[in-house]
Amino acid sequence: GGLDGQTFFIQSCGEEEVFIENTSFDEDEIFDYHWLFYNPDGSLLNEQRGGDAFRDITVRFPGVGDYTGTMILNEGTECSDTADFMVSLFPAIFADFEFEYDTCVASDVMFIDSSRTGASSGIIEWDWDFADGTFSALENPSHEFRDPGIRDVILTVRDSNDCEDSMVKEVDWRPVPTTLIIEPSSFVGCNPAEIFFNNLSAPIDSTYDIVWDFGDGNISNDISPVHVYEEPGSYDVSLEITSPLNCSTSRDFDSWITILEGAEAQFTCSPDEPNVFRNTVQFTDMSERAGA
């Protein structure tokens, strides 16, 4: 078996039933396994013995405490080998947390640890994974997500016995932007005028319901749309954003876009039909609204 009287240390956190896997090599040479486990007071707790069916065993311990054990291979033969065990049963640890935030406002999410353990000095480490590439080691952190989305936040806690547990909870952070910020490519144009409305508002993504009203009877549901104004005039533009959690915000931009009448290029020439004998032509500009 190659155990040579080694001592193996086994730790269990809250689980009274412990599975012990035998890693002894030269398995074909082993025909007898003898397991003995003792209570903290030295009395016999559990004894199991047999062939291959007893290579791995499960032992139920009565509760928190330190237990000892021995495994003897091929007992009473020249090929006998022995291993000793120290089994420590610690109180269970349970990770848990709550969180609070305004589902409509892009602000911090407050995370509150509610984990518990029976360890004498309690929980000593907190490891938060906010599922956006950021982490925290605080007991009760606050966190502001940069992008909207549904995230599986993970809390892992560890107590003074080096027992640990994890809890995963879904955080749906999809508020509406605090302020709607729009940058049109131009505020004035000549018809037909193509205007790009660059939406810099955050946080938003494709899961939000977005309604643009360009003031000329046309609408769009794109985040940052391009719109062509065909007729001259002054146009009010409005934007309404509704989050997947049914929170809404809107903004009106009165008389925001001005479209001017485009110039029409026209001219006359004399003579009307020039030829090799009449090859001097005079052009007269007849364009309308061409400006100076």
Side-chain angles (χ1 to χ4, degrees), residues 88-132:
S88 296
L89 262 67
F90 295 119
I93 180 173
F94 301 98
D96 198 7
F97 65 92
E98 306 299 328
F99 55 91
E100 299 175 355
Y101 67 107
D102 189 329
T103 57
C104 289
V105 178
S107 59
D108 288 1
V109 179
M110 305 297 296
F111 291 92
I112 304 97
D113 172 53
S114 56
S115 307
R116 60 192 189 278
T117 179
S120 57
S121 57
I123 295 172
I124 59 174
E125 290 184 23
W126 295 264
D127 181 10
W128 296 87
D129 183 344
F130 299 116
D132 63 353

Side-chain angles (χ1 to χ4, degrees), residues 1 22-33 52-53 55-56 74:
N22 195 331
T23 59
S24 304
F25 53 87
D26 292 335
E27 184 176 350
D28 292 341
E29 304 297 327
I30 303 172
F31 54 84
D32 179 61
Y33 299 88
D52 290 343
R55 177 174 173 83
D56 304 322
N74 299 339

Side-chain angles (χ1 to χ4, degrees), residues 69-87:
T70 301
M71 179 187 67
I72 308 170
L73 302 178
N74 299 339
E75 186 174 6
T77 70
E78 292 183 1
C79 297
S80 181
D81 205 352
T82 302
D84 294 320
F85 296 88
M86 294 290 298
V87 182

Side-chain angles (χ1 to χ4, degrees), residues 1-12 18-25 30 33-38 55-57 61 65-73 81-90:
L3 299 174
D4 299 325
Q6 293 184 57
T7 299
F8 296 88
F9 295 88
I10 298 173
Q11 175 177 312
S12 178
V18 179
F19 173 73
I20 301 175
E21 182 179 2
N22 195 331
T23 59
S24 304
F25 53 87
I30 303 172
Y33 299 88
H34 189 187
W35 300 85
L36 300 110
F37 288 90
Y38 302 91
R55 177 174 173 83
D56 304 322
I57 67 166
F61 295 89
D66 295 319
Y67 303 84
T68 59
T70 301
M71 179 187 67
I72 308 170
L73 302 178
D81 205 352
T82 302
D84 294 320
F85 296 88
M86 294 290 298
V87 182
S88 296
L89 262 67
F90 295 119

Side-chain angles (χ1 to χ4, degrees), residues 159-180:
D159 65 21
S160 56
N161 294 323
D162 204 31
C163 294
E164 71 173 39
D165 189 37
S166 297
M167 171 62 73
V168 181
K169 288 191 176 182
E170 185 179 273
V171 179
D172 190 347
W173 192 81
R174 290 182 290 181
V176 292
T178 303
T179 304
L180 297 184

